[in-house]
Each structure stands twice: as structure tokens, then as C-alpha cells.
Amino acid sequence: MSGKTAIGAAYGPVIVEGSGVPSMESTPAVRGMDRRPPDPLMFVGRSPELKQLEAAVAGCGRAVVVAVHGLGGVGKSTLTARFAASQADRFSLVWWIVADSATAIDTGLADLAVAVAPETGVMPLEQCTELGVRWLATHTDWLLILDNLAGPADAAGLLDRVHTGTIVITSRQGGGWRGMQTVALDVLPAAQAVELLIRIVRAEWPDAELTGADRLCAELGWLPLAIEQAGAYLGQLRITPAAYLDLLARFPARMFTAIAEGGDAQRTVARVWHVTLDRLADTPLAGQLLRQLAWYAPDGIPRELLAGTADEPDVLAALGRLAAYNMITLTGDTIGVHRLVQAVSRTPDPDDPHRQPDDVTTARDTAATTLTTALTGQHHESPASWPLYQLVLPHAQALIDHTPPGRDTPTTCQLLNHFGTYLGGQGNVTTAITYFTRTNRCLENLHGPDHPDTLTSRNNLASAYEWAGDLGRAVPLYEATLTDCERVLGPDHPDTLTSRNNLA
């Protein structure tokens, strides 16, 4: 025999030579030879999706093929395992293949041949693979699960040859499943996410105090894998949801990969999305855009914020690939990103090629510049500008919230000043004071206390105190700013005159 040919690629039948080859067409499956993971013990919810799967496989005849797709970590394999367990009595054989490579598919099919005809175990892999395909093609009442398939093309050769039985595919890829029924899997509803966390923790720690479980699940974006990861950690280390949230805020890079003793290091949120981005490595712009999007609010990101990042066809192609792998969601005008995908993407990790510290910093600076540029020519007192301010506001606030004050740049200060002025004018004086205080400290650190930009920011802070009616802080700050302006700029400089006018 020549070298092995992958089932999922351009596949042609292997000619099996020699004697002693079993007749796969007449070889029945024996009850109990199934290969599938155990029924998930911590399964919560998913009734609508299970009903979708059950309805999809209710037919018979030509192969029923269903693709379950969704973001990595959303629970596709768990859902399919529960479905397989609930339907096991219906099928003569349930066979599970981890299908993340052509070799894995071929090996899984070869193992199937050996399971139904043990005498094939002495044959070369490619012959066993062919016999496994032949068995599927000539029997009807089986269920084959291809778990974690990269995309439709990887199963094309198998589907071209097998036209009976039931195949359920799980994949992160959301598009390209033409002619197949699909089940899109999203994160858990909030109440079910909390239930899952509580069940996982209490299996290890029955009397756990779980106040704040809802806040933890919300911070994790109700993603099943992240909740399982956190729950196992809480249960083993006997810490509260509030303590976990504190660790997540202070040590995000470590917590995204933290597992309980005995856990699978490959099944953490950071590792799962690392694998997805590895598959997108031939489109480097995809990772670059994801890191930039990580600094905005998770929902309603205007697509025009990415204009100018690269040539428009390249941007569209990168967005299309991210959407195809469920890393983002697209509408005609906006982009959405799961909040935990964002959190991981903006957390530097020198050991992760997709989250190098310099790349994360560049993405943050690009996002800040983009938001500042979007407001060019706008004025906070003009009603005509207010819709644009409102459009940009949630994304500016997200970037500001996720940037530690000690890492502010001149561009971040511009953004703080823009929205401090706008929000103050809109009556949100408390946030305006917070933003102007931070701007003043940042500019003092960057340029010193006597720089004109620093003096302007101090004047803005005094104005915010005035808006709040706190003249006890406003007047002394106006006076100090005027004194410094006269000393640094001179008594007749326009900024000095403005400062004197403000004090008056």
C-alpha cells in the first residue's frame, strides 16, 4: 500500500487486497461496543437545543447530518454527549471520533472497523479506515459523532461516500454547512449558568457559601467552560465567588489558565481560543482586529471603527473568518464580541503568540486613537454632535475602564477630556470629575505640572467642581491654576485670560 490518504480530503477508495478480509456489509454491530464519553453529570438546561437535535435526526434514509456550532467553550461536545446518551437505545452503534485532524478521523474510522470486526486489527491503518467507511456505508441504524471538526471540508470525503445513518458534527466554524441542518449554540441563560456553577462547587464543597455566584457568572459571560473552570477551582480551594473575582481582576493571565488539581490544562478558556486563533494564523489581520475589538464594549461596536485599519477587502475577509469561527458576531452595521473573549484577548501573555504584550499595547493605542479620531470636528455643546458622542461613549468608557490609570497615554487623556466635557455638559458631573481628575494626574506624570496641557486639564477639573456646586474645591483650584498660568504663560496669554475669566 502507498501512503495514507485522509478521509476528509480528496479521498478515493482504498483497494483492500489479500484474503481474510471480513465482509463489512454483512457484519452487524454488537450491542455495547459503543465508543462515547460518559453522560455529563453536571448538565444544565439546553432543552431547546436538545429538541432541535432530536427533531433533526427524526428522519431516516439518506444520512442525516447535523452540525452543532458555536464559540469554543460554549458546550457543543457536552450537549452532543447528552444527546448521544439519551438516544443510545435507538442506535445499534454510537461511535465518537475526536475529529480535529485528518489523521484523527482516519484513526477513529479504523478503530470502528476493529470494533465491529476484531480480526481487522492486524491490518494497516489505511485498510482499516476503508473498512470502517465501508461498514458505515452499508448499515443504517448507527450514530457517528465527529467532535471538534475544523470545518465542512474536513468531512467532505466521508460524506460523499456515506449516505445512511446519522452523523452529528461539532465545530467552532459557523458557516459553510450547506445542505446540512445546523444547531447554533450560545452561552447559557444567566439562571442556568448560576445553577451550573453551584452544582459544580457543591459537588466538592457541599456547604459552600456562594453569595455573588451571579456576579461571577456574569463576569465570565455565562460561558459553560469558564464556569466549569471557575467552579472546580472554587470547590477545591474553598474560596468564594468574590475571592475568585478579585483574583481574576488582579491576575487575569494566570486565572484564565488556572485549573483545579486533575483538570485538563488544554481545556481552559485561554487554551481553547489559542487553538482557534492558530487556525486563523494564515489571516494575521484577524488576530490584530480581535485584539483591537477587545478594548471596546462587547456589543454594538460600529463597523466603521475598523475603517482604515487595512485595505477594506482585507478587513472584511478577516472579520468574515472571525465570524465563521464564532469569535465575533456581525450585523450589517455592528460587531459583537463575547466579553470573556475580549478579556482574554486584551490580557498580555508572553507565552501566547496571539497575546504578546507589545501587540496588546498596540491594539489598545490603536483603539484609543480610533475613538478620538471619530470625534474630530465634533463639539460637546452642539446637539448635532450628540448622536456621535452617544455612539462612541460605551466603547470609550470600556477602554478607559480596562486601562489602568498608570498606563494612560496622551491619546487616552484626550479621550478622557472629550468625554469628561461631554458628560459634564449632559449632567453627569460625577463621572466628569473622575475623568478630569485622572486626566490631570496623567498629564502631570507625562509632561509635568507646568505644561500648558496640564494647566488646561486643571482648569477643566475646577470647572467640573463648579458644575457640581462644590465651590469649596472649585475656587482654590481656579486660583492656583491662574497663578501658575501667569507664571508660566504670562499675564496676557489667552489661556491665562480664560483662567482669570473662569475664576471671575
Side-chain angles (χ1 to χ4, degrees):
M1 289 296 296
S2 60
K4 179 172 69 69
T5 304
I7 284 285
Y11 185 81
V14 175
I15 304 301
V16 183
E17 300 172 351
S19 60
V21 177
S23 173
M24 302 306 282
E25 294 80 358
S26 59
T27 302
V30 177
R31 288 283 178 183
M33 68 170 53
D34 294 357
R35 185 172 79 175
R36 57 184 175 85
D39 187 11
L41 297 177
M42 297 296 180
F43 190 85
V44 171
R46 301 301 197 194
S47 295
E49 292 86 354
L50 282 171
K51 288 178 180 177
Q52 275 187 273
L53 266 174
E54 290 164 3
V57 303
C60 58
R62 193 195 191 285
V64 176
V65 184
V66 187
V68 180
H69 65 87
L71 176 68
V74 81
K76 302 178 294 294
S77 300
T78 303
L79 174 76
T80 305
R82 168 51 63 95
F83 168 77
S86 68
Q87 299 288 310
D89 291 343
R90 173 180 173 180
F91 300 102
S92 64
L93 176 71
V94 177
W95 199 255
W96 186 289
I97 297 176
V98 177
D100 54 2
S101 69
T103 299
I105 297 173
D106 285 359
T107 302
L109 292 169
D111 290 345
L112 169 61
V114 174
V116 297
E119 63 270 32
T120 63
V122 298
M123 296 180 176
L125 174 65
E126 59 269 25
Q127 291 191 3
C128 285
T129 299
E130 163 63 18
L131 291 173
V133 175
R134 186 179 297 177
W135 188 90
L136 292 172
T138 54
H139 294 75
T140 59
D141 56 344
W142 47 260
L143 170 63
L144 174 68
I145 297 104
L146 299 177
D147 186 40
N148 200 22
L149 194 74
D154 286 9
L158 177 63
L159 298 181
D160 283 345
R161 295 190 57 199
V162 175
H163 304 285
T164 58
T166 300
I167 299 175
V168 175
I169 295 168
T170 75
S171 178
R172 301 175 193 186
Q173 187 162 331
W177 305 102
R178 296 177 182 83
M180 303 181 200
Q181 300 184 69
T182 60
V183 176
L185 204 58
D186 203 347
V187 298
L188 286 168
Q192 293 178 8
V194 172
E195 180 186 350
L196 177 61
L197 180 72
I198 290 173
R199 288 174 61 180
I200 292 171
V201 175
R202 292 212 166 125
E204 181 80 18
W205 184 16
D207 57 348
E209 168 52 52
L210 293 175
T211 300
D214 54 342
R215 294 195 301 276
L216 175 55
C217 290
E219 184 66 23
L220 298 175
W222 308 284
L223 185 79
L225 176 61
I227 291 167
E228 291 167 10
Q229 184 180 334
Y233 195 86
L234 266 62
Q236 186 174 91
L237 298 183
R238 303 300 198 263
I239 63 172
T240 65
Y244 191 93
L245 280 169
D246 178 63
L247 289 169
L248 193 59
R250 291 189 293 128
F251 308 104
R254 293 181 64 177
M255 297 309 293
F256 290 141
T257 57
I259 57 172
E261 190 68 27
D264 184 353
Q266 302 302 310
R267 291 293 299 165
T268 65
V269 289
R271 180 58 188 167
V272 163
W273 296 328
H274 179 126
V275 171
T276 300
L277 290 172
D278 281 348
R279 292 177 177 172
L280 298 174
D282 57 345
T283 309
L285 185 59
Q288 178 185 328
L289 294 183
L290 188 64
R291 287 189 293 272
Q292 181 178 340
L293 293 168
W295 293 96
Y296 300 143
D299 301 311
I301 304 170
R303 291 175 67 153
E304 57 260 35
L305 289 180
L306 299 181
T309 306
D311 290 341
E312 185 176 1
D314 294 332
V315 171
L316 291 174
L319 290 177
R321 296 212 68 199
L322 287 168
Y325 280 88
N326 286 287
M327 295 296 280
I328 64 173
T329 55
L330 293 175
T331 71
D333 302 317
T334 65
I335 305 166
V337 191
H338 187 277
R339 66 178 65 193
L340 203 56
V341 172
Q342 289 184 306
V344 172
S345 299
R346 64 173 176 263
T347 301
D349 184 349
D351 296 326
D352 188 337
H354 307 297
R355 296 187 287 137
Q356 291 295 294
D358 287 347
D359 292 339
V360 172
T361 298
T362 297
R364 182 199 65 204
D365 293 344
T366 299
T369 299
T370 299
L371 293 171
T372 303
T373 302
L375 298 175
T376 300
Q378 306 299 314
H379 196 281
H380 68 277
E381 292 183 341
S382 170
S385 296
W386 292 349
L388 182 58
Y389 272 96
Q390 283 298 114
L391 185 68
V392 175
L393 176 61
H395 309 295
Q397 288 179 317
L399 187 143
I400 290 166
D401 290 345
H402 295 310
T403 302
R407 296 185 180 178
D408 281 330
T409 66
T411 306
T412 314
C413 290
Q414 274 188 284
L415 204 59
L416 285 161
N417 188 65
H418 270 304
F419 282 99
T421 306
Y422 169 73
L423 291 170
Q426 297 291 312
N428 189 348
V429 179
T430 300
T431 303
I433 291 173
T434 300
Y435 282 8
F436 285 140
T437 301
R438 179 168 163 179
T439 303
N440 185 244
R441 289 173 181 166
C442 169
L443 291 173
E444 282 190 354
N445 290 332
L446 290 172
H447 304 310
D450 293 338
H451 191 279
D453 289 349
T454 307
L455 297 175
T456 299
S457 74
R458 197 179 305 150
N459 183 76
N460 289 341
L461 177 57
S463 296
Y465 283 131
E466 182 186 354
W467 299 336
D470 189 350
L471 299 184
R473 293 187 180 183
V475 171
L477 196 54
Y478 275 138
E479 290 174 335
T481 303
L482 175 59
T483 298
D484 289 340
C485 284
E486 289 177 333
R487 175 175 55 82
V488 174
L489 303 174
D492 296 330
H493 190 279
D495 289 353
T496 305
L497 299 176
T498 296
S499 182
R500 190 176 299 133
N501 178 78
N502 290 342
L503 175 59

